[in-house]
Amino acid sequence: MATYTEEENRPDEVDNFKPIFKKYKRRDRPLDTSDVIDFDNGNNLHKVEEFKLEEPDHLLTGLKPVKKWKAYCLKSNPGFLFIVNPFENGYQRYWVSRCVKDYPCRPNVRNLDAYMDVGDINIWNSSMDTYKDDITNKECVMMKLRWVTMGYHYHWGTKKYYKDSKAPFQEDMSSLGRYVASAIGYPKFSPEAAVLNYYHLDSSLSGHTDHSEFDHSAPLISFSFGQDAIFLIGGETKETEPSAVFLRSGDICVMSSSARLSYHAVPRIMESSSERNHACFDISGISKLDTESSSSHSCESTLDKKIVERIHSDNWDFMSKYLGQTRINFNIRQVLEPNREFPAES
């Protein structure tokens, strides 16, 4: 079972976080989701209120117009924002493809680098060649991939970033992050680091805070693709009992303002609805001619054309089998304060 390390409690701190984490993680009894905020089914929405978004001055290929997004904040923690899947049907395929085929390649850093020599090969292509129809075999390298870092690399041992430890930040992910940040009121957000997590159905992420960035005034923006998850968001100490929220494919959550340094966790990954996933990944409504039309999307840039071309060229049968056992999450961070350099000791 893939479980990430939980941070130590502070001295004399009452831990009201761990019991809730264990409640949703344990598998020796039926899962009780009666207290989970569920935007799909309308459960516990009395715990949230609508969040007003700001309309950017342009559209981004693959996303609905911002005026059609549904965004909420928690009444108990208004800095935690939730955007219900704003992706147009089919366009999530592009991000899944990038996350499995491209982002795990060097010079980005992978968990695999610590214990096996995978070299400069494309991990996805190698897995396809070796396992073909058995892409979810536990011995497959893709099934051993747990995390990737890009931009400024987060060092798990020291919990720090270093000035000279970085890889180029990908243009498409940067554009996506800046667009969402602008819509939630952070037009100067600068994507400088990303952590990609690859969860399987037996995975979990224990309670922790993301405090290693030098600028905590900038939001942390997190995207989910694939299988469902229960996400916990608490307060700045574990004394705060966390709220539980369902995250599904395409959903975006943001930790900003008072929630930026809040404890959070993922105690459970679950199989998603096949009907919902079919709608998310169905490309029957996306014509290859979209790259020549601006009727519904801004398709003027090379990047926009690449998105549509990638959607139509990938072997989705293999990707959907992998995604049937996997939840992919990437979170985008601004590391440095605007116009500031790394502190000398870094």
Side-chain angles (χ1 to χ4, degrees):
M1 177 180 295
T3 305
Y4 296 83
T5 303
E6 184 170 4
E7 295 180 358
E8 295 294 328
N9 289 351
R10 300 172 187 176
D12 303 320
E13 181 180 73
V14 176
D15 191 344
N16 293 315
F17 195 102
K18 184 177 287 186
I20 305 301
F21 179 86
K22 288 184 175 179
K23 169 187 174 181
Y24 292 113
K25 181 181 178 181
R26 63 188 305 172
R27 296 178 181 270
D28 59 346
R29 62 181 63 179
L31 179 64
D32 178 7
T33 62
S34 59
D35 292 330
V36 182
I37 298 169
D38 189 341
F39 294 96
D40 266 17
N41 298 326
N43 293 341
N44 295 303
L45 297 191
H46 64 280
K47 299 180 180 180
V48 306
E49 56 188 8
E50 291 188 15
F51 180 83
K52 183 175 176 57
L53 297 167
E54 300 181 15
E55 191 83 23
D57 59 4
H58 65 288
L59 296 176
L60 190 68
T61 297
L63 292 176
K64 300 172 184 176
V66 170
K67 63 183 178 182
K68 294 185 178 181
W69 294 10
K70 296 179 180 179
Y72 304 89
C73 62
L74 287 182
K75 293 179 179 178
S76 61
N77 195 339
F80 175 75
L81 311 179
F82 186 99
I83 301 172
V84 179
N85 177 21
F87 291 90
E88 297 277 15
N89 286 352
Y91 282 90
Q92 290 185 50
R93 284 197 187 190
Y94 174 80
W95 297 104
V96 171
S97 176
R98 290 285 277 160
C99 287
V100 300
K101 292 180 69 174
D102 304 320
Y103 297 153
C105 294
R106 289 179 173 173
N108 296 332
V109 176
R110 303 75 54 97
N111 68 296
L112 304 172
D113 298 324
Y115 66 93
M116 61 189 302
D117 183 13
V118 294
D120 291 326
I121 64 169
N122 183 296
I123 297 172
W124 175 260
N125 290 343
S126 176
S127 297
M128 289 272 289
D129 291 342
T130 304
Y131 287 92
K132 300 186 184 303
D133 293 334
D134 196 18
I135 197 70
T136 60
N137 187 301
K138 290 185 178 181
E139 295 304 312
C140 175
V141 176
M142 276 303 300
M143 296 301 288
K144 296 180 179 181
L145 181 67
R146 290 291 181 266
W147 54 260
V148 172
T149 60
M150 69 168 62
Y152 286 111
H153 297 302
Y154 178 74
H155 287 252
W156 304 92
T158 62
K159 301 185 186 302
K160 290 184 178 182
Y161 297 94
Y162 297 94
K163 180 179 180 179
D164 297 326
S165 180
K166 65 180 297 188
F169 201 96
Q170 298 296 311
E171 176 191 356
D172 52 359
M173 187 183 288
S174 179
S175 296
L176 180 65
R178 285 186 281 108
Y179 192 84
V180 173
S182 180
I184 62 174
Y186 291 87
K188 296 183 179 180
F189 178 74
S190 178
E192 295 172 328
V195 177
L196 292 75
N197 295 303
Y198 301 79
Y199 300 92
H200 302 306
L201 295 176
D202 61 351
S203 301
S204 63
L205 173 65
S206 298
H208 68 287
T209 62
D210 290 295
H211 56 265
S212 300
E213 295 73 31
F214 297 103
D215 186 358
H216 295 152
S217 65
L220 187 154
I221 307 174
S222 180
F223 300 80
S224 294
F225 302 99
Q227 301 308 299
D228 294 348
I230 292 178
F231 181 85
L232 301 181
I233 180 71
E236 290 191 8
T237 74
K238 291 186 179 179
E239 293 184 19
T240 302
E241 184 174 305
S243 299
V245 183
F246 268 116
L247 290 179
R248 295 190 169 88
S249 196
D251 291 341
I252 303 170
C253 64
V254 181
M255 297 197 315
S256 65
S257 185
S258 59
R260 179 59 181 82
L261 297 177
S262 293
Y263 275 89
H264 55 284
V266 180
R268 188 88 165 219
I269 308 296
M270 298 163 294
E271 292 187 24
S272 60
S273 160
S274 58
E275 292 80 9
R276 188 181 193 281
N277 272 3
H278 175 75
C280 287
F281 299 108
D282 179 20
I283 63 171
S284 60
I286 303 175
S287 168
K288 294 181 182 180
L289 297 179
D290 276 358
T291 56
E292 301 173 5
S293 170
S294 59
S295 59
S296 60
H297 298 285
S298 173
C299 293
E300 299 174 353
S301 72
T302 301
L303 174 60
D304 294 334
K305 295 179 180 179
K306 286 182 177 179
I307 289 176
V308 177
E309 290 170 358
R310 172 67 71 96
I311 286 171
H312 284 280
S313 64
D314 278 328
N315 187 330
W316 183 247
D317 287 343
F318 286 99
M319 287 189 185
S320 63
K321 287 180 181 178
Y322 173 75
L323 204 62
Q325 300 293 316
T326 308
R327 171 184 177 247
I328 299 173
N329 159 259
F330 61 76
N331 49 83
I332 303 175
R333 305 131 181 257
Q334 179 173 316
V335 176
L336 300 172
E337 296 178 15
N339 302 315
R340 296 287 295 273
E341 299 292 334
F342 266 82
E345 62 270 20
S346 296

